[in-house]
Amino acid sequence: MNQSAIARSWVEHANGHRDFPLQNLPLGIFTHKNQAKRCGVAIGDAILDLEGALAAGLFEGQARTAVESTRGGALNAYFALGRVARVALRERLLQLLGEHSEHQAALKPLLLASAECQLHLPAQIGDYTDFYVGIEHAKNVGKLFRPDNPLLPNYKYVPIGYHGRASTIRPSGTDVRRPKGQTLPAGQSEPSFGPCARLDYELELGIWIGQGNEMGESIPVAEAAEHIAGFCLLNDWSARDIQAWEYQPLGPFLSKSFISTVSPWVVTAEALEPFRCAQPARPEGDPQPLSYLLDKRDQAAGAFDIELEVLLLTERMREQNLPAHRLTLSNTLSMYWTVAQMVAHHSVNGCQLQPGDLFGSGTLSGAQPGQFGSLLEITQGGKEPVQLASGEVRKFLEDGDEIILRARCVREGVASIGFGECRGKVLPAR
Amino acid sequence: MNQSAIARSWVEHANGHRDFPLQNLPLGIFTHKNQAKRCGVAIGDAILDLEGALAAGLFEGQARTAVESTRGGALNAYFALGRVARVALRERLLQLLGEHSEHQAALKPLLLASAECQLHLPAQIGDYTDFYVGIEHAKNVGKLFRPDNPLLPNYKYVPIGYHGRASTIRPSGTDVRRPKGQTLPAGQSEPSFGPCARLDYELELGIWIGQGNEMGESIPVAEAAEHIAGFCLLNDWSARDIQAWEYQPLGPFLSKSFISTVSPWVVTAEALEPFRCAQPARPEGDPQPLSYLLDKRDQAAGAFDIELEVLLLTERMREQNLPAHRLTLSNTLSMYWTVAQMVAHHSVNGCQLQPGDLFGSGTLSGAQPGQFGSLLEITQGGKEPVQLASGEVRKFLEDGDEIILRARCVREGVASIGFGECRGKVLPAR
């Protein structure tokens, strides 16, 4: 990699940082030592207190408007401002945190060690929608039920999605209480009630909605990218045994609504720009998207090439100081629909999107073993347990297990960036 | 009816009022002549301005706390107070508005003509969940697909529900823009895009959640009734052609999310108390609810006996001054699960409910023609059109059609109450 071409920060630990070099600059909401929630930007292992920098008079014009809108402990108003203000803030932050910054003395006291801060949800979530655009996941799951015909007839026409539960979305680090519910034991005709026995994770990309639309209006696919405020990681924890019994005919419900976890930093389209690549051609014979989903600019912009990883750490592995076990190494290139197509589809019926709404991509699996984004796929519904270096095996998650999602964008000649962690540990059922 | 036993109001038009006699006293959020949103109580054809009555010093103790919590244009904080404050406010309102009130002079200037006020959503809705507890509807719809086995195996064990869209819930009177979307024309293998051709209504009871629960905790069925703030009517507008193509495998999505309409007044459990009747016994052979759904007090309290009605008014009927056509006369007694069971089920996995969340019951149809709560059932999927006095026929809703939901509670020896209207007119697709 040609490091010389990569702009550096005077915040030394940011240079070469796994997730948060100068080129990333994601916003988030944090608290420091019992102070009120405020907005910060991640830079290396630190958080720059944006409200402090505002008070120090370091922002003007659009960038100032942007920072002012972040006050109050949630980024909804900032999301609503849209791309122009976001880009202005990014440009100013590149100046302030770049190696030639004239404001190092003023900024140094505003850099807080991330380890001393607590991260929160970046926005108040109005509605949460979970899509199903990971085509390999759809095939993998479909194969468990219909080996010869894994994809349903609508899959290649409709960006399938459904409404999820907003009230139980939590930031990384929140414990996951094992849910209880009804399940139908194998071979039985009557259900039982008790703790979930097939607890699973789902590896997803989260999409934060920026500017919304009025009810009854639609967002054209050509404008849809402008309505996206940023991205995160999302773990759509799933109770497979509850899901199998409850989901007909109206879809998943209590099998998902006990908690969903997001990474707290909002990574922007601008930061991800170097990591887009030409859309992989749809396989021969796949239909063209209907016209309301088709935009040349969207196709030309390319898909996001984001490497996604899932790590498992059991209680015993922590005791034995063993490294986390990698369950999944996948990529957002497996998305059959672009995020612009998801926005256009969601609003084509006049459904109102609002700043701070959250989309999930659906599970992003690859086609090969090692790339599967859930234990359901990895263990083939519990038939092929995972072997761990601790001597343990896992069909599904056990109490004390911790799941860590990570992301990484790598390209020759540019600084790599990541998303930070999306982490959660399973607690026993109450 | 023994009118002499029925307490009367000094607000004369309230006595014998179809919906809002002294015995009802539902709260709502209204605006009057461009003033800020405030809370009022419906009494006859008027709205009593509760904030004005508070300023006049007419409330003390719990009732005062209750009215204070209604300030700010939404009832979420009031819902969160729970039953004790709600009952205290009701008791005080019965004094203030009863025929022996000593405060008539102070209250008269605070009575606003309902016709001069605009009604709004009573609360800021966090999450919206639509259930499917109308067993006759489930059977009627199931029969269209599986004549011999209309109910799925989980129906009599699981209070089936799914997450709905909160951002597009609107108060009665909001126009309904015909949605556009993908549909699969009969006999075709590829979908088309265009305006919905099978627009439908669904007649539902709405349930407002009061006190919530922490994530990871459950609300026991024995306590669940305490977590309900009140009731309304809900029209779950549905695009049947979009629904048929999109809903596998994750449930209805854009076919529902374009709008849902609620009646704006929050009718309390206390007002509905005289209209409960012993739960109709489950049919011979039906399973007992699992223990987390079973509570003797809940069973003994009885089901709500609320008569529900759907009226259709077409453009031509309005021009010809024809009366509205009754499409449905149904009853909440068709609910297979109680509202307490719905709350207990929803939270049994630790899902957090919050004040201002909304539940829909699902479509409440009877078993007989004339009792069907949607056109899908009435016209058998469009095969048997409805004949109207205007000479028109309807398979599904056409532009200009207005749907009006009403409710009525009637019992010998007590004042009848209603819910007010839940009304919406269909506008052409954009």
Side-chain angles (χ1 to χ4, degrees):
Chain A
M1 196 191 290
N2 179 6
Q3 283 289 346
S4 66
I6 296 176
R8 295 176 62 83
S9 173
W10 56 265
V11 182
E12 275 304 330
H13 52 76
N15 299 311
H17 191 271
R18 188 195 186 284
D19 291 310
F20 306 126
L22 180 64
Q23 290 74 11
N24 195 345
L25 301 175
L27 263 53
I29 297 292
F30 73 97
T31 44
H32 183 245
K33 295 185 179 168
N34 295 322
Q35 290 179 329
K37 284 185 188 177
R38 46 174 65 191
C39 176
V41 58
I43 180 77
D45 294 322
I47 298 174
L48 174 66
D49 172 1
L50 277 189
E51 233 172 276
L54 179 70
L58 295 174
F59 298 104
E60 287 176 359
Q62 290 274 4
R64 183 183 174 87
T65 306
V67 179
E68 285 173 345
S69 73
T70 67
R71 289 188 290 204
L75 296 178
N76 299 66
Y78 168 71
F79 287 177
L81 288 179
R83 194 178 62 84
V84 173
R86 188 175 70 232
V87 169
L89 176 56
R90 177 180 174 82
E91 292 304 319
R92 181 58 177 155
L93 288 171
L94 286 170
Q95 290 172 353
L96 291 175
L97 293 168
E99 60 183 337
H100 306 300
S101 172
E102 296 160 7
H103 299 284
Q104 298 183 31
L107 290 167
K108 267 182 191 156
L110 301 172
L111 284 175
L112 305 167
S114 300
E116 291 177 10
C117 298
Q118 192 183 351
L119 273 296
H120 303 275
L121 285 182
Q124 200 174 344
I125 301 168
D127 279 286
Y128 161 49
T129 299
D130 203 15
F131 282 85
Y132 195 57
V133 309
I135 189 168
E136 300 303 335
H137 171 73
K139 283 185 196 168
N140 293 338
V141 172
K143 268 181 211 161
L144 293 175
F145 300 100
R146 300 172 301 276
D148 296 333
N149 188 23
L151 285 183
L152 290 167
N154 57 12
Y155 191 86
K156 292 182 176 176
Y157 296 97
V158 180
I160 296 288
Y162 72 109
H163 309 295
R165 182 81 191 175
S167 72
T168 48
I169 297 172
R170 292 291 184 279
S172 177
T174 309
D175 289 333
V176 176
R177 179 70 61 187
R178 180 181 297 275
K180 292 185 286 188
Q182 287 191 38
T183 58
L184 189 68
Q188 303 290 308
S189 63
E190 298 206 348
S192 298
F193 176 74
C196 163
R198 293 161 73 94
L199 185 61
D200 202 354
Y201 68 92
E202 287 195 344
L203 169 62
E204 304 199 11
L205 182 72
I207 298 128
W208 291 103
I209 296 302
Q211 290 172 314
N213 60 305
E214 291 300 314
M215 187 177 76
E217 309 276 354
S218 304
I219 299 172
V221 62
E223 297 168 19
E226 301 280 315
H227 291 259
I228 293 170
F231 302 87
C232 64
L233 290 166
L234 170 64
N235 187 342
D236 179 27
W237 304 90
S238 299
R240 299 299 179 194
D241 42 0
I242 296 172
Q243 186 176 357
W245 173 235
E246 76 170 358
Y247 93 108
Q248 287 289 10
L250 298 179
F253 181 45
L254 301 189
S255 55
K256 304 277 193 171
S257 64
F258 53 100
I259 191 172
S260 310
T261 311
V262 292
S263 59
W265 293 106
V266 182
V267 177
T268 63
E270 291 73 35
L272 293 171
E273 190 56 41
F275 310 102
R276 300 189 78 154
C277 72
Q279 204 85 355
R282 292 193 159 200
E284 190 77 29
D286 272 17
Q288 275 295 297
L290 293 183
S291 61
Y292 79 93
L293 295 172
L294 196 56
D295 175 59
K296 279 183 191 164
R297 234 174 26 162
D298 181 43
Q299 299 287 316
F304 292 111
D305 180 5
I306 307 170
E307 199 178 274
L308 304 170
E309 188 181 24
V310 183
L311 302 170
L312 166 66
L313 204 54
T314 71
E315 196 91 58
R316 196 189 297 176
M317 290 163 78
R318 285 193 295 273
E319 285 164 11
Q320 300 181 352
N321 276 319
L322 289 169
H325 177 93
R326 181 193 276 169
L327 288 168
T328 312
L329 187 64
S330 176
N331 195 296
T332 52
L333 290 171
S334 67
M335 291 169 66
Y336 193 78
W337 302 97
T338 67
V339 292
Q341 287 171 326
M342 290 155 70
V343 168
H345 181 66
H346 202 314
S347 64
V348 75
N349 68 340
C351 179
Q352 182 176 31
L353 304 183
Q354 298 184 115
D357 285 348
L358 181 68
F359 290 2
S361 60
T363 309
L364 297 179
S365 299
Q368 304 302 322
Q371 302 175 339
F372 298 164
S374 68
L375 284 167
L376 179 71
E377 294 159 84
I378 294 170
T379 69
Q380 295 291 299
K383 289 198 291 285
E384 298 173 15
V386 176
Q387 302 288 335
L388 302 174
S390 56
E392 299 170 286
V393 296
R394 284 293 180 275
K395 295 177 177 177
F396 290 97
L397 297 173
E398 299 194 1
D399 296 343
D401 287 358
E402 192 164 15
I403 287 288
I404 304 148
L405 313 187
R406 298 199 301 195
R408 194 160 170 76
C409 306
V410 180
R411 183 155 293 193
E412 182 66 27
V414 299
S416 300
I417 66 170
F419 278 54
E421 287 183 345
C422 179
R423 180 187 276 262
K425 189 165 78 174
V426 178
L427 301 186
R430 271 223 175 78
Chain B
M1 199 193 293
N2 179 6
Q3 283 290 347
S4 66
I6 296 176
R8 294 177 61 83
S9 174
W10 55 265
V11 182
E12 274 304 332
H13 51 76
N15 299 312
H17 191 273
R18 187 196 185 284
D19 290 311
F20 306 126
L22 180 64
Q23 289 73 11
N24 195 345
L25 301 175
L27 263 53
I29 296 292
F30 74 98
T31 44
H32 183 245
K33 295 185 177 167
N34 295 323
Q35 290 179 328
K37 285 185 187 176
R38 47 173 66 191
C39 176
V41 58
I43 181 76
D45 294 321
I47 297 174
L48 174 65
D49 172 1
L50 277 190
E51 234 173 276
L54 180 69
L58 294 173
F59 297 104
E60 286 176 0
Q62 290 274 2
R64 182 181 175 88
T65 305
V67 179
E68 284 173 346
S69 75
T70 67
R71 289 187 290 203
L75 297 179
N76 299 64
Y78 168 70
F79 287 177
L81 287 180
R83 194 178 62 85
V84 172
R86 186 175 72 232
V87 169
L89 176 56
R90 177 178 174 84
E91 291 304 318
R92 180 58 178 157
L93 288 171
L94 286 169
Q95 290 173 352
L96 291 174
L97 292 168
E99 61 183 337
H100 305 302
S101 172
E102 295 160 8
H103 300 282
Q104 299 182 31
L107 289 167
K108 267 183 189 155
L110 301 172
L111 283 175
L112 306 166
S114 301
E116 291 177 9
C117 297
Q118 192 184 349
L119 273 295
H120 303 275
L121 285 182
Q124 198 175 345
I125 301 169
D127 279 285
Y128 161 50
T129 299
D130 203 16
F131 282 85
Y132 195 59
V133 309
I135 189 168
E136 299 303 336
H137 170 72
K139 283 185 196 168
N140 293 337
V141 172
K143 268 180 208 160
L144 294 175
F145 300 99
R146 300 173 301 275
D148 296 332
N149 188 23
L151 284 183
L152 290 168
N154 56 12
Y155 191 86
K156 291 181 176 176
Y157 296 97
V158 181
I160 296 286
Y162 72 110
H163 310 294
R165 183 81 191 175
S167 72
T168 49
I169 297 172
R170 293 290 184 277
S172 177
T174 308
D175 289 333
V176 176
R177 178 70 60 185
R178 180 180 298 274
K180 292 186 286 190
Q182 287 191 39
T183 59
L184 189 68
Q188 302 290 308
S189 64
E190 297 208 348
S192 297
F193 176 75
C196 164
R198 295 163 71 94
L199 186 61
D200 202 355
Y201 68 92
E202 288 194 344
L203 169 62
E204 304 197 13
L205 181 71
I207 298 127
W208 292 104
I209 296 301
Q211 291 172 311
N213 60 305
E214 292 300 314
M215 185 177 78
E217 308 276 353
S218 303
I219 299 172
V221 62
E223 297 168 20
E226 300 280 316
H227 290 260
I228 293 169
F231 301 87
C232 64
L233 291 166
L234 170 65
N235 187 341
D236 179 27
W237 303 90
S238 299
R240 299 298 181 195
D241 41 1
I242 296 172
Q243 186 176 358
W245 174 235
E246 76 169 0
Y247 93 107
Q248 287 288 12
L250 298 179
F253 180 46
L254 302 188
S255 54
K256 304 278 194 171
S257 64
F258 53 100
I259 191 172
S260 310
T261 311
V262 292
S263 59
W265 293 107
V266 182
V267 177
T268 62
E270 290 75 34
L272 292 171
E273 191 54 41
F275 310 102
R276 301 190 77 155
C277 71
Q279 205 84 355
R282 294 195 157 196
E284 189 79 31
D286 273 16
Q288 275 296 296
L290 294 183
S291 60
Y292 78 95
L293 295 171
L294 195 56
D295 176 60
K296 279 183 190 163
R297 233 173 26 161
D298 181 44
Q299 299 287 313
F304 292 112
D305 180 4
I306 307 169
E307 199 178 273
L308 303 169
E309 188 181 25
V310 183
L311 302 169
L312 166 67
L313 205 54
T314 71
E315 195 91 58
R316 196 189 295 176
M317 290 163 78
R318 284 192 297 270
E319 285 164 14
Q320 298 180 354
N321 277 320
L322 290 170
H325 177 93
R326 180 192 279 169
L327 288 168
T328 312
L329 187 63
S330 177
N331 195 295
T332 51
L333 289 172
S334 67
M335 291 168 67
Y336 192 76
W337 301 98
T338 67
V339 291
Q341 287 171 324
M342 290 155 70
V343 167
H345 181 66
H346 202 314
S347 64
V348 77
N349 69 340
C351 180
Q352 182 176 31
L353 304 183
Q354 298 182 113
D357 285 349
L358 181 68
F359 290 2
S361 61
T363 309
L364 297 178
S365 299
Q368 304 302 322
Q371 301 175 339
F372 298 162
S374 68
L375 283 167
L376 179 71
E377 294 159 84
I378 294 170
T379 69
Q380 295 291 297
K383 288 199 293 284
E384 298 171 15
V386 176
Q387 302 287 335
L388 303 174
S390 56
E392 299 170 287
V393 295
R394 284 291 181 277
K395 294 177 178 175
F396 289 97
L397 297 173
E398 299 195 1
D399 295 342
D401 286 359
E402 193 165 15
I403 289 287
I404 304 147
L405 313 187
R406 299 200 300 196
R408 196 161 169 75
C409 306
V410 180
R411 181 155 293 191
E412 182 68 27
V414 299
S416 300
I417 66 170
F419 278 53
E421 287 183 345
C422 179
R423 179 185 277 262
K425 189 164 79 173
V426 179
L427 301 185
R430 272 226 173 78

